[in-house]
Amino acid sequence: MSRTHYIAGNWKMNLDKAGSVKLARDLVAALKGKSNKYMVGVPFVYLDAVAQVLKGSNILLGSQDMAATANGAHTGEVSAEMLKDIGVQVVILGHSERRHEIGESDELINKKVRRALEQGLEVVLCIGELLEDREAGNAEQVCAFQLSADLAGVSEEQMKKVTIAYEPVWAIGTGKTATPADAEAIHKFVRGYIAKLYNQKVADETIIQYGGSMKASNAAELLAQPDIDGGLIGGASLKAETFEPICVL
């Protein structure tokens, strides 16, 4: 089945306001009229400024995280309502840096996923194994657990707004990349597991991105795999000249 490539940039904790606005402007110009699906995940403090630049373009505005609760006494948190108010359309949840640096549990990630979907936001749900999991032969087991736990209570209808990003944790920001064959094997497994959780139609329609040191030099080979439908790009998304070549594949 043919699925549209979905290329997303995750800016992480980088750039300043001027740099964020310039990058957004450069991307709007570079990607105008291009047919893939695009998103940029912007730091909270620059979302509003970038929203003004992306308005009316073919690039979705994404947040890198979101609170699991509605507005209220939650110091330091940012709610779905606040994000929607400034034009956010997508939220990245379960990123390995949230899981392993911040200590987010699958229970919390599931609450965030359900909250985002209830509020009409699209979700990019990140899953993936640590190096020790892969070396122990448990990569599939880890991904299956995360999918089951993080998608608990998510309906078949809601899955239309969910993208899965497979990111082998050992390949994020390290320069190491899973070989296209290794990445495809896990993507194929993930699609099969979604079919078990839901059905084959949902599995066939779900976009599964690869995240883990994807860049212009390896993107074409990765995206040529039958079950790799896009990329969640970190470092290479911080400059238009390194991000745009991936976007137009």
Side-chain angles (χ1 to χ4, degrees):
M1 176 175 174
S2 176
R3 288 171 293 269
T4 302
H5 280 166
Y6 182 3
I7 310 296
N10 179 13
W11 296 356
K12 306 192 180 184
M13 198 170 73
N14 291 298
L15 303 172
D16 56 15
K17 185 176 178 182
S20 297
V21 168
K22 182 183 184 303
L23 177 54
R25 281 194 184 125
D26 290 346
L27 291 175
V28 167
L31 300 179
K32 186 176 182 181
K34 305 300 183 187
S35 58
N36 289 330
K37 182 174 179 177
Y38 306 114
M39 182 268 279
V40 287
V42 179
F44 285 135
V45 291
Y46 305 137
L47 279 167
D48 202 13
V50 171
Q52 310 311 313
V53 180
L54 298 186
K55 201 172 286 183
S57 78
N58 61 338
I59 304 172
L60 298 170
L61 179 63
S63 171
Q64 298 173 20
D65 189 33
M66 188 200 84
T69 55
N71 288 344
H74 307 287
T75 301
E77 291 291 290
V78 179
S79 69
E81 291 88 342
M82 292 172 175
L83 294 175
K84 289 197 308 180
D85 184 45
I86 59 168
V88 170
Q89 298 143 296
V90 187
V91 61
I92 300 169
L93 297 172
H95 193 279
S96 63
E97 289 156 2
R98 302 293 308 171
R99 293 177 187 268
H100 301 296
E101 286 184 23
I102 312 298
E104 288 195 5
S105 66
D106 287 283
E107 182 183 13
L108 177 60
I109 293 163
N110 175 244
K111 284 180 182 174
K112 291 183 176 188
V113 168
R114 286 186 287 125
R115 177 82 194 151
L117 293 170
E118 284 162 10
Q119 290 296 309
L121 290 165
E122 291 186 31
V123 169
V124 173
L125 172 63
C126 303
I127 62 168
E129 80 282 2
L130 296 165
L131 183 58
E132 58 254 40
D133 297 321
R134 172 160 283 268
E135 289 178 341
N138 294 332
E140 291 183 356
Q141 187 180 340
V142 169
C143 291
F145 175 82
Q146 290 173 344
L147 286 167
S148 296
D150 301 346
L151 294 174
V154 173
S155 71
E156 181 178 334
E157 184 65 24
Q158 286 175 318
M159 280 298 291
K160 291 175 182 174
K161 284 184 169 283
V162 176
T163 294
I164 304 298
Y166 167 63
E167 38 166 36
V169 181
W170 46 272
I172 297 171
T174 61
K176 295 180 182 177
T177 315
T179 66
D182 284 343
E184 167 61 18
I186 296 288
H187 278 243
K188 185 175 182 180
F189 169 80
V190 167
R191 198 174 305 285
Y193 198 77
I194 292 170
K196 286 183 188 173
L197 290 176
Y198 295 94
N199 55 56
Q200 193 60 49
K201 181 174 184 289
V202 171
D204 287 342
E205 291 176 354
T206 298
I207 290 175
I208 308 174
Q209 298 170 323
Y210 174 76
S213 298
M214 184 186 277
K215 44 193 177 287
S217 59
N218 60 25
E221 199 177 357
L222 286 162
L223 291 170
Q225 304 302 311
D227 290 290
I228 298 179
D229 309 316
L232 182 60
I233 318 296
S237 73
L238 295 175
K239 293 180 181 176
E241 59 266 32
T242 53
F243 189 50
E244 190 258 350
I246 304 170
C247 290
V248 297
L249 289 170

